Amino acid sequence: MEFLQQLINGLSLGAIYALIALGYTMVYGVLRFINFAHSDVFMVGAFAGFYLGRVLPAASFGGGLLVLFGAMVICAVLGVVIEKLAYRPLRGRSTLTVLITAIGVSLLLQNAGQLIFGANPKSFPKLFPQHNFTFGGMVLSSDQIAVFVVTIAILLGLHYIVMKTRIGTAMRALSFNPTAASLVGINNDMVISFTFALGSALAAAGGILYAINYPSIDPLMGTLPGLKAFVAAVLGGIGNIPGAALGGVLLGLIETLVVAMGGSTYRDAVAFAVLILILLVRPSGLLGKLQAEKV
């Protein structure tokens, strides 16, 4: 029974990592660079939920979903603004230039967050009705159920968008060959902006779900979960959407099991050690494919 309890806890944490990792992998799939500001969009999403939760009716399923949707919209707009102001002018520049810019945007968001929200941690409000369901000796909280339901719904919606819609087809075409995509009439700028909006909305959802399960938020809260989600994306195969989801779930399970065995001090070290081990065996990640690059 203890194993099942830790399994549920690990799946809940892994689902959150998966949502953040999807944003990393989507941007990488389209533009071939890592948006390190993504972890701080996660933080902005949590704070958006914090302030919306004080205005909108909370502790109800309808109110909680409204807060979640509002935070996703706010971060989607933020993602588009970041792409247009910080990354679009650098398109065609070296990967190192864009990477340094991404780190700069991350630091800007962190310091702006401390200026606007304050540096002290804040207690996140209850968005959904609180109830614990007991099965034998196993406990499943309503917040964990919310994580599972929201994550599954978002993953299904993302799969539909990417695989069944015109904009999803354009995203896949742009990922495969940007020049050819533009030659057949695809507006690359619009597709890239949509990708940033979608990835940032996923980060906001991850921020809300993280905050309701670990209800203390601050402007630097995105650093460690963001790094873990990046590890998850690389673990599953960076640029591969199912791989990002798989990597997030595996990482959450590994961390939780390490803590259950009394190794909470080493949970972060174990997570990165697993990444190194996987990359030694499969450099492209679990579901990734090796691709030849022109140099």
Side-chain angles (χ1 to χ4, degrees), residues 146-219:
V147 169
F148 295 138
V149 171
V150 170
T151 301
I152 291 172
I154 288 176
L155 288 175
L156 291 175
L158 181 62
H159 180 267
Y160 177 79
I161 290 173
V162 173
M163 303 304 297
K164 303 294 184 181
T165 65
R166 295 187 65 181
I167 187 66
T169 303
M171 289 169 62
R172 288 183 282 125
L174 181 59
S175 174
F176 183 74
N177 191 321
T179 304
S182 63
L183 289 176
V184 297
I186 293 175
N187 186 335
N188 287 1
D189 288 342
M190 186 271 290
V191 174
I192 291 171
S193 292
F194 179 81
T195 302
F196 268 86
L198 191 56
S200 298
L202 294 177
I208 296 292
L209 296 178
Y210 186 88
I212 65 175
N213 283 276
Y214 308 94
S216 178
I217 62 173
D218 64 84

Side-chain angles (χ1 to χ4, degrees):
M1 195 59 69
E2 176 67 22
F3 174 77
L4 291 177
Q5 182 66 63
Q6 297 303 329
L7 181 65
I8 290 175
N9 295 340
L11 289 173
S12 176
L13 179 60
I16 296 171
Y17 286 156
L19 287 178
I20 312 170
L22 286 168
Y24 279 115
T25 208
M26 287 174 61
V27 170
Y28 182 85
V30 172
L31 291 178
R32 293 294 186 270
F33 84 91
I34 303 299
N35 177 24
F36 280 112
H38 189 68
S39 60
D40 298 291
V41 177
F42 164 90
M43 174 271 296
V44 172
F47 272 97
F50 172 80
Y51 289 107
L52 289 174
R54 298 171 65 180
V55 176
L56 299 173
S60 67
F61 287 108
L65 291 176
L66 199 58
V67 169
L68 178 69
F69 179 75
M72 291 175 72
V73 170
I74 290 171
C75 285
V77 173
L78 176 62
V80 172
V81 171
I82 290 173
E83 189 276 325
K84 286 190 175 181
L85 296 183
Y87 299 140
R88 186 172 298 183
L90 299 177
R91 205 172 296 163
R93 303 286 184 89
S94 69
T95 303
L96 181 60
T97 300
V98 181
L99 179 63
I100 293 172
T101 301
I103 295 172
V105 174
S106 174
L107 293 173
L108 174 64
L109 289 176
Q110 288 180 10
N111 286 277
Q114 293 183 72
L115 179 64
I116 297 171
F117 307 132
N120 294 326
K122 292 179 171 56
S123 180
F124 198 77
K126 301 295 183 183
L127 298 185
F128 298 100
Q130 300 298 298
H131 188 74
N132 290 332
F133 301 91
T134 303
F135 305 94
M138 185 175 61
V139 179
L140 181 64
S141 71
S142 55
D143 286 338
Q144 288 176 320
I145 293 175
V147 169
F148 295 138
V149 171
V150 170
T151 301
I152 291 172
I154 288 176
L155 288 175
L156 291 175
L158 181 62
H159 180 267
Y160 177 79
I161 290 173
V162 173
M163 303 304 297
K164 303 294 184 181
T165 65
R166 295 187 65 181
I167 187 66
T169 303
M171 289 169 62
R172 288 183 282 125
L174 181 59
S175 174
F176 183 74
N177 191 321
T179 304
S182 63
L183 289 176
V184 297
I186 293 175
N187 186 335
N188 287 1
D189 288 342
M190 186 271 290
V191 174
I192 291 171
S193 292
F194 179 81
T195 302
F196 268 86
L198 191 56
S200 298
L202 294 177
I208 296 292
L209 296 178
Y210 186 88
I212 65 175
N213 283 276
Y214 308 94
S216 178
I217 62 173
D218 64 84
L220 302 180
M221 65 174 285
T223 303
L224 194 54
L227 279 174
K228 298 287 186 63
F230 173 64
V231 168
V234 176
L235 181 64
I238 191 73
N240 185 295
I241 291 178
L246 175 62
V249 171
L250 287 178
L251 189 62
L253 288 172
I254 291 169
E255 279 196 26
T256 304
L257 292 176
V258 168
V259 173
M261 291 186 293
S264 58
T265 306
Y266 309 104
R267 59 185 294 184
D268 299 335
V270 170
F272 288 100
V274 169
L275 172 66
I276 294 171
L277 180 62
I278 291 295
L279 292 182
L280 288 174
V281 178
R282 285 187 59 85
S284 58
L286 293 174
L287 299 184
K289 296 180 181 178
L290 289 174
Q291 296 180 349
E293 295 187 6
K294 295 180 181 180
V295 295

